[in-house]
Amino acid sequence: MTKVDLHIYIQFNNKPFINPQSLALLRKIIDTGSLNTAAKELDISYQNAWKMIDNMNKTAPKPIVMKQRGGTGGGGAVLSDYGLLLMKEYAYIELQVLKFTQQLNNEINL
Amino acid sequence: MTKVDLHIYIQFNNKPFINPQSLALLRKIIDTGSLNTAAKELDISYQNAWKMIDNMNKTAPKPIVMKQRGGTGGGGAVLSDYGLLLMKEYAYIELQVLKFTQQLNNEINL
């Protein structure tokens, strides 16, 4: 069956800082509280994961992920207040895009 | 300014056959009537352009681009009837996505 699929990007001053891959990484960081564990679960290197986060933090209007020091398992990673707001808005965007895509697919005949 | 941007993919049986890059190639083929010229204008190799077309033709429900033999300038490339229908539907999809994205961006506060 032929279907339209829409991929969500969020950009600041025309530069994307959220794409489907970085969004998956943010969700894993929320789940695990650790960039290291998040990277392992997504099967990417810690270095690549950190590059994605660093790029995201620098491109977004405000930093999204903050490193945390200490604790028994070493440093963790948490979302900033802006990061949490972003995830809330993203959930809304995702729902609207899902509804719109379903409607669009009902109109398409390919 | 923070904005949501949606990238359009068209898939058949869950496999994408149109993405933003292949769509740009199709539009260049329509403009120039030649895969070789289209590839040059997009600054990709003929081999890569042909791979994109071959993959598209095999993944879509019907072939989209057909090679044409002969003529003074050598072989050309044209869209099949299905390819033309696809471009017509794509123009509609693009317009709807543009309208939806503008509406969504009015609601977002990031």
Side-chain angles (χ1 to χ4, degrees):
Chain A
M1 196 188 164
T2 307
K3 285 173 75 179
V4 177
D5 188 29
L6 298 174
H7 292 196
I8 301 167
Y9 289 72
I10 302 181
Q11 54 188 33
F12 182 57
N13 294 339
N14 295 319
K15 288 182 192 160
F17 63 94
I18 298 289
N19 59 40
Q21 290 74 37
S22 60
L23 194 269
L25 181 59
L26 285 182
R27 285 186 166 153
K28 282 286 178 196
I29 289 171
I30 294 170
D31 284 354
T32 65
S34 154
L35 185 57
N36 195 29
T37 313
K40 272 185 191 154
E41 290 193 6
L42 290 173
D43 208 18
I44 54 175
S45 70
Y46 177 83
Q47 201 182 13
N48 266 348
W50 172 246
K51 266 188 208 160
M52 281 168 72
I53 293 300
D54 191 42
N55 184 50
M56 198 187 295
N57 278 348
K58 285 175 181 161
T59 313
K62 293 176 194 175
I64 292 167
V65 176
M66 296 179 305
K67 278 188 170 179
Q68 279 191 323
R69 281 165 183 258
T72 45
V78 290
L79 268 66
S80 66
D81 286 349
Y82 179 73
L84 293 172
L85 172 69
L86 176 72
M87 295 310 285
K88 199 179 144 201
E89 291 280 289
Y90 194 93
Y92 174 79
I93 293 164
E94 203 170 32
L95 180 64
Q96 300 307 313
V97 170
L98 181 68
K99 285 184 194 168
F100 169 75
T101 308
Q102 283 171 343
Q103 194 185 329
L104 190 60
N105 275 315
N106 286 336
E107 298 171 32
I108 297 304
N109 190 14
L110 276 172
Chain B
M1 195 189 165
T2 307
K3 285 173 76 179
V4 177
D5 187 30
L6 298 174
H7 292 196
I8 302 168
Y9 289 73
I10 302 181
Q11 54 187 34
F12 182 57
N13 294 339
N14 295 318
K15 287 182 193 160
F17 63 94
I18 297 289
N19 59 41
Q21 291 74 37
S22 60
L23 194 270
L25 181 58
L26 286 182
R27 285 186 166 154
K28 282 285 177 196
I29 289 171
I30 294 170
D31 284 353
T32 64
S34 154
L35 185 57
N36 194 28
T37 313
K40 272 185 192 154
E41 290 194 6
L42 290 173
D43 207 20
I44 55 175
S45 70
Y46 178 82
Q47 200 182 15
N48 266 349
W50 172 246
K51 265 188 206 160
M52 281 168 73
I53 293 299
D54 191 45
N55 184 51
M56 197 187 294
N57 279 347
K58 285 175 179 160
T59 313
K62 294 176 193 175
I64 291 168
V65 175
M66 297 178 306
K67 277 187 173 179
Q68 277 190 324
R69 281 165 185 257
T72 46
V78 289
L79 268 66
S80 66
D81 286 349
Y82 179 73
L84 293 172
L85 172 69
L86 176 72
M87 295 309 286
K88 198 178 144 202
E89 291 280 289
Y90 194 94
Y92 175 79
I93 293 164
E94 205 170 30
L95 180 64
Q96 299 308 312
V97 169
L98 180 68
K99 284 184 194 168
F100 170 74
T101 308
Q102 283 171 343
Q103 193 184 330
L104 190 60
N105 275 315
N106 287 335
E107 299 172 31
I108 298 304
N109 189 13
L110 274 172

